[in-house]
Coordinates of all heavy atoms in Angstrom, one line a residue:
M1 N 0.8 -1.1 -0.1 CA 0.0 0.0 0.0 C 1.0 1.2 0.0 O 1.7 1.4 1.0 CB -0.9 0.0 1.3 CG -1.9 1.1 1.4 SD -3.1 0.8 2.6 CE -3.9 2.2 2.8
P2 N 0.8 2.1 -1.0 CA 1.6 3.2 -1.1 C 1.2 4.2 0.0 O 0.2 4.5 0.4 CB 1.4 3.9 -2.5 CG 0.3 3.0 -3.1 CD -0.1 1.9 -2.2
I3 N 2.2 5.0 0.4 CA 2.1 6.2 1.3 C 2.2 7.5 0.5 O 3.1 7.6 -0.3 CB 3.1 6.1 2.4 CG1 3.0 4.9 3.2 CG2 2.8 7.3 3.3 CD1 4.1 4.7 4.1
I4 N 1.3 8.2 0.6 CA 1.3 9.5 -0.2 C 2.0 10.7 0.6 O 1.6 10.9 1.8 CB -0.2 10.1 -0.5 CG1 -0.9 8.9 -1.3 CG2 -0.1 11.3 -1.3 CD1 -0.4 8.5 -2.6
K5 N 3.0 11.1 0.0 CA 3.8 12.3 0.8 C 4.0 13.3 -0.4 O 4.6 13.1 -1.4 CB 5.1 11.7 1.1 CG 6.0 12.7 1.7 CD 6.2 12.5 3.2 CE 7.3 13.5 3.8 NZ 7.1 13.7 5.1
N6 N 3.5 14.5 -0.1 CA 3.6 15.7 -0.9 C 3.2 15.3 -2.3 O 3.7 15.8 -3.3 CB 5.2 16.2 -1.0 CG 5.7 16.6 0.3 OD1 5.0 17.1 1.1 ND2 7.0 16.4 0.5
G7 N 2.2 14.7 -2.4 CA 1.5 14.4 -3.7 C 2.2 13.2 -4.5 O 1.8 13.0 -5.7
T8 N 3.2 12.6 -3.9 CA 3.9 11.6 -4.7 C 3.7 10.2 -3.8 O 3.9 10.2 -2.6 CB 5.4 11.8 -4.6 OG1 5.6 13.1 -5.2 CG2 6.3 10.7 -5.4
A9 N 3.3 9.1 -4.5 CA 3.2 7.8 -4.0 C 4.5 7.3 -3.5 O 5.4 7.3 -4.3 CB 2.4 7.0 -4.8
R10 N 4.7 6.7 -2.3 CA 5.9 6.1 -1.9 C 5.6 4.6 -1.6 O 4.6 4.3 -0.9 CB 6.4 6.8 -0.6 CG 6.6 8.2 -0.6 CD 7.7 8.7 -1.4 NE 7.9 10.1 -1.4 CZ 8.7 10.7 -2.1 NH1 9.3 10.2 -3.0 NH2 8.7 12.1 -1.9
T11 N 6.5 3.8 -2.0 CA 6.3 2.4 -1.8 C 7.5 1.9 -1.1 O 8.6 2.6 -0.9 CB 6.0 1.7 -3.1 OG1 7.3 1.8 -3.9 CG2 5.0 2.1 -3.9
I12 N 7.5 0.6 -0.8 CA 8.8 0.0 -0.2 C 9.9 0.1 -1.2 O 11.0 0.2 -0.8 CB 8.5 -1.6 0.2 CG1 9.6 -2.1 1.2 CG2 8.2 -2.4 -1.0 CD1 9.5 -1.4 2.5
Y13 N 9.7 -0.1 -2.5 CA 10.7 0.2 -3.5 C 11.2 1.6 -3.4 O 12.5 1.7 -3.9 CB 10.3 -0.3 -4.8 CG 10.0 -1.8 -4.9 CD1 8.8 -2.3 -4.8 CD2 11.2 -2.7 -5.0 CE1 8.7 -3.7 -4.9 CE2 11.0 -3.9 -5.0 CZ 9.7 -4.6 -5.0 OH 9.7 -5.9 -4.9
S14 N 10.5 2.6 -3.0 CA 11.0 3.9 -2.9 C 12.1 4.0 -1.8 O 13.2 4.6 -2.1 CB 10.0 4.8 -2.5 OG 8.9 4.9 -3.6
L15 N 11.9 3.3 -0.8 CA 12.8 3.2 0.3 C 14.1 2.4 -0.1 O 15.1 2.8 0.2 CB 12.1 2.5 1.6 CG 13.0 2.3 2.8 CD1 13.5 3.8 3.3 CD2 12.3 1.6 3.9
R16 N 13.8 1.3 -0.8 CA 15.0 0.5 -1.3 C 15.9 1.3 -2.3 O 17.0 1.3 -2.3 CB 14.4 -0.6 -2.1 CG 15.4 -1.6 -2.6 CD 14.8 -2.8 -3.4 NE 15.6 -3.6 -4.0 CZ 16.2 -4.7 -3.7 NH1 16.1 -5.1 -2.3 NH2 17.1 -5.4 -4.3
H17 N 15.2 2.1 -3.1 CA 15.9 3.0 -4.1 C 16.6 4.1 -3.3 O 17.8 4.3 -3.7 CB 14.9 3.7 -5.1 CG 15.5 4.5 -6.0 ND1 16.2 4.2 -7.1 CD2 15.6 6.0 -6.0 CE1 16.6 5.2 -7.8 NE2 16.3 6.3 -7.1
L18 N 16.1 4.7 -2.4 CA 16.8 5.6 -1.5 C 18.0 5.0 -0.9 O 19.1 5.6 -0.9 CB 15.8 6.3 -0.5 CG 16.4 7.2 0.5 CD1 17.0 8.5 -0.3 CD2 15.4 7.6 1.6
Y19 N 17.9 3.9 -0.3 CA 18.9 3.2 0.4 C 20.0 3.0 -0.5 O 21.3 3.3 -0.3 CB 18.4 1.9 1.0 CG 19.5 1.1 1.7 CD1 20.0 1.5 2.9 CD2 20.1 0.0 1.1 CE1 21.0 0.7 3.5 CE2 21.1 -0.7 1.6 CZ 21.6 -0.3 2.8 OH 22.5 -1.1 3.4
A20 N 19.7 2.3 -1.7 CA 20.9 1.9 -2.7 C 21.5 3.3 -3.1 O 22.8 3.3 -3.2 CB 20.2 1.3 -3.8
T21 N 20.8 4.3 -3.3 CA 21.5 5.6 -3.9 C 22.4 6.2 -2.8 O 23.5 6.5 -3.1 CB 20.2 6.6 -4.2 OG1 19.5 6.0 -5.2 CG2 21.0 7.9 -4.7
Q22 N 21.9 6.2 -1.6 CA 22.8 6.8 -0.5 C 24.0 6.0 -0.3 O 25.1 6.5 -0.1 CB 21.9 6.8 0.9 CG 20.8 8.0 0.8 CD 20.0 8.2 2.0 OE1 19.9 7.2 2.9 NE2 19.6 9.3 2.2
R23 N 23.8 4.6 -0.2 CA 24.9 3.7 0.0 C 26.0 4.0 -1.1 O 27.2 4.0 -0.9 CB 24.6 2.4 0.1 CG 23.7 2.0 1.2 CD 24.2 2.5 2.6 NE 25.3 1.5 2.9 CZ 26.2 1.8 3.9 NH1 26.2 2.8 4.5 NH2 27.1 0.9 4.0
L24 N 25.6 4.1 -2.4 CA 26.5 4.2 -3.5 C 27.2 5.6 -3.4 O 28.4 5.7 -3.8 CB 25.8 4.0 -5.0 CG 25.3 2.5 -5.1 CD1 24.5 2.6 -6.4 CD2 26.6 1.7 -5.3
Y25 N 26.5 6.7 -3.0 CA 27.1 8.0 -2.8 C 28.1 8.0 -1.7 O 29.0 8.8 -1.7 CB 26.0 9.0 -2.7 CG 25.4 9.7 -3.8 CD1 24.1 9.7 -4.1 CD2 26.3 10.2 -4.8 CE1 23.5 10.4 -5.3 CE2 25.7 10.8 -6.0 CZ 24.4 10.7 -6.1 OH 23.9 11.5 -7.3
E26 N 27.9 7.1 -0.8 CA 28.8 6.9 0.4 C 30.1 6.0 0.0 O 30.7 5.6 0.8 CB 28.1 6.4 1.5 CG 27.2 7.3 2.1 CD 26.3 6.7 3.2 OE1 26.3 5.5 3.3 OE2 25.4 7.5 3.8
D27 N 30.2 5.6 -1.3 CA 31.3 4.9 -1.8 C 31.4 3.5 -1.4 O 32.4 2.8 -1.3 CB 32.7 5.6 -1.6 CG 32.8 6.8 -2.3 OD1 32.3 7.0 -3.4 OD2 33.5 7.7 -1.7
V28 N 30.1 2.9 -1.0 CA 30.0 1.5 -0.7 C 30.2 0.7 -2.1 O 29.9 1.3 -3.1 CB 28.7 1.1 -0.1 CG1 28.4 -0.4 0.0 CG2 28.5 1.8 1.2
S29 N 31.0 -0.3 -1.9 CA 31.3 -1.2 -3.1 C 30.0 -1.7 -3.8 O 29.2 -2.2 -3.0 CB 32.1 -2.4 -2.7 OG 32.1 -3.4 -3.7
P30 N 29.9 -1.5 -5.1 CA 28.7 -2.0 -5.7 C 28.5 -3.5 -5.5 O 27.4 -4.0 -5.4 CB 28.8 -1.7 -7.3 CG 29.7 -0.4 -7.2 CD 30.6 -0.6 -6.0
F31 N 29.7 -4.2 -5.5 CA 29.7 -5.7 -5.3 C 29.0 -6.0 -4.0 O 28.2 -6.9 -3.8 CB 31.1 -6.3 -5.3 CG 31.2 -7.7 -5.0 CD1 30.9 -8.6 -5.9 CD2 31.6 -8.0 -3.8 CE1 30.9 -9.9 -5.5 CE2 31.7 -9.4 -3.4 CZ 31.4 -10.3 -4.2
H32 N 29.5 -5.3 -2.9 CA 29.0 -5.7 -1.6 C 27.5 -5.2 -1.4 O 26.7 -5.9 -0.7 CB 29.8 -5.0 -0.5 CG 31.1 -5.5 -0.4 ND1 32.3 -4.8 -0.7 CD2 31.6 -6.7 0.0 CE1 33.3 -5.6 -0.5 NE2 32.9 -6.8 -0.1
L33 N 27.1 -4.1 -2.0 CA 25.7 -3.6 -2.0 C 24.8 -4.6 -2.7 O 23.8 -4.9 -2.1 CB 25.6 -2.2 -2.5 CG 24.3 -1.5 -2.5 CD1 23.8 -1.4 -1.0 CD2 24.2 -0.2 -3.1
A34 N 25.4 -5.0 -3.9 CA 24.5 -6.0 -4.6 C 24.2 -7.2 -3.8 O 23.2 -7.8 -3.7 CB 25.0 -6.3 -6.0
K35 N 25.3 -7.8 -3.2 CA 25.2 -9.0 -2.4 C 24.2 -8.7 -1.2 O 23.3 -9.5 -0.9 CB 26.8 -9.4 -1.9 CG 26.7 -10.7 -1.3 CD 28.2 -11.1 -1.1 CE 28.3 -12.5 -0.5 NZ 28.5 -13.5 -1.5
Q36 N 24.3 -7.5 -0.6 CA 23.5 -7.3 0.6 C 22.0 -7.1 0.3 O 21.1 -7.7 0.9 CB 23.9 -6.0 1.3 CG 23.1 -5.8 2.5 CD 23.3 -4.4 3.0 OE1 23.5 -3.4 2.2 NE2 23.0 -4.1 4.3
M37 N 21.8 -6.7 -1.0 CA 20.5 -6.3 -1.4 C 19.8 -7.5 -2.1 O 18.7 -7.4 -2.5 CB 20.4 -5.0 -2.3 CG 20.7 -3.7 -1.5 SD 20.7 -2.4 -2.5 CE 18.9 -2.2 -2.8
G38 N 20.6 -8.5 -2.4 CA 20.1 -9.7 -3.1 C 19.8 -9.4 -4.5 O 18.8 -10.0 -5.1
T39 N 20.8 -8.7 -5.2 CA 20.6 -8.4 -6.6 C 21.9 -8.5 -7.2 O 22.9 -9.0 -6.6 CB 20.0 -6.9 -6.7 OG1 19.5 -6.8 -8.0 CG2 20.9 -5.9 -6.3
S40 N 21.9 -8.1 -8.5 CA 23.2 -8.2 -9.3 C 23.8 -6.8 -9.4 O 23.2 -5.8 -9.4 CB 22.9 -8.8 -10.7 OG 22.1 -7.9 -11.4
I41 N 25.1 -6.9 -9.7 CA 25.8 -5.6 -10.0 C 25.3 -5.1 -11.2 O 25.1 -3.7 -11.5 CB 27.3 -5.8 -10.2 CG1 28.0 -6.2 -8.8 CG2 28.0 -4.6 -10.7 CD1 29.4 -6.7 -8.9
E42 N 24.9 -5.9 -12.1 CA 24.3 -5.4 -13.5 C 23.0 -4.5 -13.3 O 22.7 -3.5 -13.9 CB 24.0 -6.6 -14.4 CG 25.1 -7.2 -15.0 CD 25.9 -8.2 -14.0 OE1 25.2 -8.6 -13.0 OE2 27.1 -8.6 -14.2
M43 N 22.1 -5.0 -12.3 CA 20.9 -4.2 -12.0 C 21.3 -2.9 -11.3 O 20.7 -1.9 -11.7 CB 20.2 -5.0 -11.0 CG 18.6 -4.5 -10.9 SD 18.4 -3.0 -9.7 CE 19.1 -3.5 -8.2
L44 N 22.4 -2.9 -10.4 CA 22.7 -1.6 -9.8 C 23.3 -0.7 -10.9 O 23.0 0.5 -11.0 CB 23.8 -1.9 -8.8 CG 23.4 -2.5 -7.5 CD1 24.7 -2.6 -6.6 CD2 22.3 -1.8 -6.8
E45 N 24.0 -1.1 -11.9 CA 24.6 -0.4 -12.9 C 23.4 0.1 -13.8 O 23.5 1.3 -14.2 CB 25.5 -1.1 -13.8 CG 26.8 -1.3 -13.2 CD 27.8 -2.3 -13.9 OE1 27.3 -3.0 -14.8 OE2 29.0 -2.2 -13.6
K46 N 22.4 -0.6 -14.0 CA 21.3 -0.3 -14.8 C 20.4 0.8 -14.3 O 20.1 1.9 -14.9 CB 20.4 -1.4 -15.2 CG 19.1 -1.1 -16.0 CD 18.4 -2.4 -16.3 CE 17.0 -2.1 -17.0 NZ 16.2 -3.1 -17.2
H47 N 20.3 0.7 -13.0 CA 19.2 1.7 -12.3 C 20.0 2.7 -11.5 O 19.3 3.8 -11.3 CB 18.4 0.9 -11.2 CG 17.4 -0.1 -11.9 ND1 16.2 0.5 -12.6 CD2 17.5 -1.4 -12.1 CE1 15.5 -0.6 -13.1 NE2 16.3 -1.6 -12.7
Y48 N 21.3 2.6 -11.2 CA 21.9 3.5 -10.5 C 23.3 3.9 -11.2 O 24.3 4.4 -10.5 CB 22.3 3.1 -8.9 CG 21.0 2.6 -8.2 CD1 20.8 1.3 -8.3 CD2 20.1 3.5 -7.9 CE1 19.5 0.8 -7.6 CE2 18.9 3.1 -7.3 CZ 18.7 1.7 -7.1 OH 17.6 1.3 -6.5
G49 N 23.4 3.7 -12.4 CA 24.6 3.9 -13.1 C 25.2 5.3 -13.0 O 26.4 5.5 -12.9
Q50 N 24.4 6.3 -12.8 CA 24.8 7.7 -12.7 C 25.4 7.9 -11.4 O 26.4 8.7 -11.2 CB 23.6 8.8 -12.9 CG 22.6 8.8 -11.8 CD 21.7 7.6 -11.6 OE1 21.5 6.8 -12.5 NE2 20.9 7.5 -10.5
T51 N 25.0 7.3 -10.3 CA 25.6 7.3 -9.1 C 26.9 6.6 -9.0 O 28.0 7.2 -8.5 CB 24.7 6.5 -7.9 OG1 23.3 7.2 -8.0 CG2 25.2 6.9 -6.5
I52 N 27.0 5.5 -9.6 CA 28.3 4.7 -9.7 C 29.3 5.6 -10.5 O 30.5 5.7 -10.2 CB 28.1 3.3 -10.3 CG1 27.2 2.5 -9.3 CG2 29.5 2.6 -10.5 CD1 26.7 1.2 -9.8
T53 N 28.8 6.1 -11.7 CA 29.7 7.0 -12.5 C 30.3 8.0 -11.7 O 31.5 8.4 -11.9 CB 29.0 7.3 -13.7 OG1 28.5 6.2 -14.4 CG2 29.9 8.1 -14.7
S54 N 29.5 8.8 -11.1 CA 29.8 10.0 -10.2 C 30.9 9.6 -9.3 O 31.9 10.2 -8.9 CB 28.7 10.7 -9.6 OG 27.8 11.2 -10.5
S55 N 30.6 8.5 -8.5 CA 31.5 8.0 -7.5 C 32.9 7.5 -8.3 O 34.0 7.9 -7.6 CB 30.9 6.8 -6.8 OG 31.8 6.3 -5.9
A56 N 32.9 6.9 -9.3 CA 34.0 6.4 -9.9 C 34.9 7.7 -10.4 O 36.0 7.7 -10.3 CB 33.7 5.6 -11.1
A57 N 34.1 8.6 -10.9 CA 34.9 9.9 -11.4 C 35.6 10.5 -10.3 O 36.7 10.9 -10.4 CB 33.9 10.9 -12.0
A58 N 34.9 10.7 -9.1 CA 35.5 11.2 -8.0 C 36.8 10.4 -7.5 O 37.8 11.1 -7.2 CB 34.6 11.3 -6.8
Q59 N 36.7 9.2 -7.6 CA 37.8 8.3 -7.1 C 39.0 8.5 -8.1 O 40.2 8.6 -7.7 CB 37.5 6.8 -7.1 CG 36.5 6.5 -6.0 CD 37.2 6.5 -4.7 OE1 38.3 6.2 -4.5 NE2 36.5 7.0 -3.7
I60 N 38.7 8.7 -9.4 CA 39.7 8.6 -10.5 C 40.4 10.0 -10.3 O 41.7 10.1 -10.5 CB 39.1 8.5 -11.8 CG1 38.7 7.1 -12.0 CG2 40.1 8.9 -12.9 CD1 37.9 6.8 -13.2
T61 N 39.6 11.1 -10.0 CA 40.2 12.4 -10.1 C 40.8 12.9 -8.7 O 41.4 14.0 -8.8 CB 39.2 13.4 -10.5 OG1 38.1 13.4 -9.7 CG2 38.8 13.2 -11.9
K62 N 40.6 12.2 -7.7 CA 41.2 12.7 -6.3 C 42.7 12.6 -6.4 O 43.2 11.7 -7.1 CB 40.6 12.0 -5.2 CG 41.0 10.6 -5.0 CD 40.4 10.1 -3.7 CE 40.7 8.7 -3.4 NZ 40.0 8.1 -2.2
T63 N 43.3 13.4 -5.7 CA 44.8 13.4 -5.7 C 45.4 13.0 -4.3 O 44.6 13.1 -3.3 CB 45.4 14.7 -6.0 OG1 44.9 15.6 -5.1 CG2 45.0 15.2 -7.4
R64 N 46.5 12.4 -4.3 CA 47.1 11.9 -3.1 C 48.1 13.1 -2.7 O 48.6 13.8 -3.4 CB 48.0 10.7 -3.3 CG 47.0 9.6 -3.5 CD 47.8 8.3 -3.5 NE 48.5 8.1 -4.9 CZ 49.3 7.3 -5.3 NH1 49.7 6.5 -4.3 NH2 49.8 7.3 -6.4
A65 N 48.3 13.2 -1.3 CA 49.3 14.1 -0.8 C 50.7 13.6 -1.3 O 51.0 12.4 -1.4 CB 49.3 14.1 0.6
K66 N 51.5 14.5 -1.7 CA 52.8 14.2 -2.3 C 53.7 13.7 -1.0 O 53.8 14.3 0.0 CB 53.4 15.4 -2.9 CG 54.8 15.1 -3.5 CD 55.4 16.4 -4.1 CE 56.8 16.1 -4.5 NZ 57.5 17.3 -4.9
K67 N 54.3 12.6 -1.2 CA 55.1 12.0 -0.2 C 56.5 12.7 -0.3 O 57.0 12.9 -1.3 CB 55.3 10.5 -0.4 CG 54.1 9.7 -0.2 CD 54.4 8.2 -0.1 CE 53.2 7.5 0.2 NZ 53.4 6.0 0.2
Q68 N 57.1 12.9 0.9 CA 58.3 13.6 0.8 C 59.5 12.5 0.7 O 59.4 11.4 1.3 CB 58.7 14.3 2.1 CG 60.1 15.0 2.2 CD 60.2 15.8 3.5 OE1 59.4 15.6 4.4 NE2 61.1 16.6 3.4
N69 N 60.4 12.8 -0.3 CA 61.6 12.0 -0.4 C 62.4 12.0 0.9 O 62.8 13.0 1.2 CB 62.3 12.5 -1.7 CG 63.5 11.6 -2.1 OD1 63.9 10.6 -1.2 ND2 64.1 11.8 -3.2
P70 N 62.7 10.7 1.4 CA 63.4 10.7 2.6 C 64.9 11.2 2.5 O 65.5 11.6 3.5 CB 63.4 9.3 3.0 CG 63.0 8.5 1.9 CD 62.2 9.5 0.9
I71 N 65.4 11.4 1.3 CA 66.7 11.8 1.1 C 66.7 13.4 1.0 O 67.8 14.0 1.3 CB 67.3 11.1 -0.2 CG1 67.4 9.6 0.0 CG2 68.7 11.7 -0.6 CD1 67.8 8.8 -1.2
E72 N 65.7 14.0 0.7 CA 65.6 15.5 0.5 C 66.2 16.2 1.7 O 67.1 17.1 1.5 CB 64.2 16.0 0.1 CG 63.9 15.7 -1.4 CD 62.5 16.2 -1.6 OE1 61.9 16.9 -0.8 OE2 62.1 15.9 -2.8
P73 N 65.9 15.9 2.9 CA 66.5 16.7 4.0 C 67.9 16.6 4.2 O 68.6 17.4 4.5 CB 65.8 16.2 5.3 CG 64.4 15.4 4.8 CD 64.8 15.0 3.3
I74 N 68.4 15.4 3.8 CA 69.9 15.3 3.9 C 70.5 16.1 2.8 O 71.5 16.7 3.0 CB 70.2 13.7 3.8 CG1 69.6 12.9 5.0 CG2 71.7 13.5 3.7 CD1 69.5 11.5 4.9
Q75 N 70.0 15.9 1.6 CA 70.5 16.8 0.5 C 70.6 18.3 0.9 O 71.5 18.9 0.5 CB 69.7 16.4 -0.8 CG 70.0 15.1 -1.3 CD 69.1 14.9 -2.5 OE1 68.0 15.5 -2.7 NE2 69.6 14.0 -3.4
Q76 N 69.4 18.6 1.5 CA 69.3 20.1 1.8 C 70.4 20.6 2.8 O 70.9 21.6 2.7 CB 67.9 20.5 2.3 CG 66.9 20.4 1.3 CD 65.5 20.6 1.8 OE1 65.4 20.7 3.1 NE2 64.6 20.7 1.0
R77 N 70.8 19.7 3.7 CA 71.9 20.0 4.7 C 73.2 20.1 4.0 O 74.0 21.1 4.4 CB 72.0 18.9 5.7 CG 71.0 19.1 6.8 CD 71.2 18.2 8.0 NE 70.5 16.9 7.6 CZ 70.9 15.8 8.3 NH1 71.7 15.7 9.3 NH2 70.1 14.6 8.0
F78 N 73.5 19.4 2.9 CA 74.8 19.5 2.3 C 74.7 20.7 1.3 O 75.8 21.3 1.0 CB 75.0 18.2 1.4 CG 75.4 17.1 2.3 CD1 74.6 16.1 2.6 CD2 76.6 17.2 3.0 CE1 75.0 15.0 3.5 CE2 77.1 16.1 3.9 CZ 76.3 15.1 4.1
E79 N 73.5 21.1 0.8 CA 73.5 22.2 -0.2 C 73.5 23.5 0.5 O 73.9 24.6 0.0 CB 72.1 22.1 -1.1 CG 72.1 21.0 -1.9 CD 70.8 20.7 -2.6 OE1 69.9 21.5 -2.3 OE2 70.6 19.8 -3.4
D80 N 73.2 23.6 1.8 CA 73.1 24.9 2.5 C 74.5 25.3 2.9 O 75.4 24.9 3.2 CB 72.2 24.7 3.7 CG 70.8 24.7 3.4 OD1 70.4 25.1 2.2 OD2 70.0 24.1 4.2

């Protein structure tokens, strides 16, 4: 039985959709989410592909902090 909220019918699938979307935005692995929800990764990609794509783009474009070369401080002492 749908629940009417702000003129929009809500069903148990609305809650499922909200849950899946939020978990994917939180960078939960699609593999683990599909397993937990009892569905396939293909279904997640089909229905939530925009969420997965956004998350993948964020992962690809993020940068790591530059690691300091352990030899640099020693070299600087000799150069000064």
Side-chain angles (χ1 to χ4, degrees):
M1 182 167 170
I3 299 170
I4 306 299
K5 176 114 176 151
N6 299 329
T8 305
R10 307 285 184 194
T11 65
I12 194 69
Y13 288 102
S14 299
L15 182 59
R16 180 180 171 91
H17 178 78
L18 175 66
Y19 175 77
T21 302
Q22 287 181 335
R23 299 300 291 162
L24 289 169
Y25 272 126
E26 293 169 351
D27 294 328
V28 170
S29 161
F31 172 79
H32 291 115
L33 185 61
K35 190 166 180 103
Q36 181 199 31
M37 293 180 70
T39 191
S40 66
I41 295 173
E42 291 78 18
M43 191 285 302
L44 290 178
E45 289 175 339
K46 179 179 176 184
H47 293 281
Y48 308 101
Q50 74 285 351
T51 306
I52 295 170
T53 302
S54 298
S55 176
Q59 290 291 321
I60 291 168
T61 58
K62 75 178 181 181
T63 60
R64 291 185 280 167
K66 183 181 174 186
K67 290 185 178 180
Q68 183 179 11
N69 183 344
I71 298 175
E72 282 180 10
I74 298 168
Q75 286 175 338
Q76 288 175 354
R77 278 191 270 168
F78 288 108
E79 291 173 357
D80 292 337

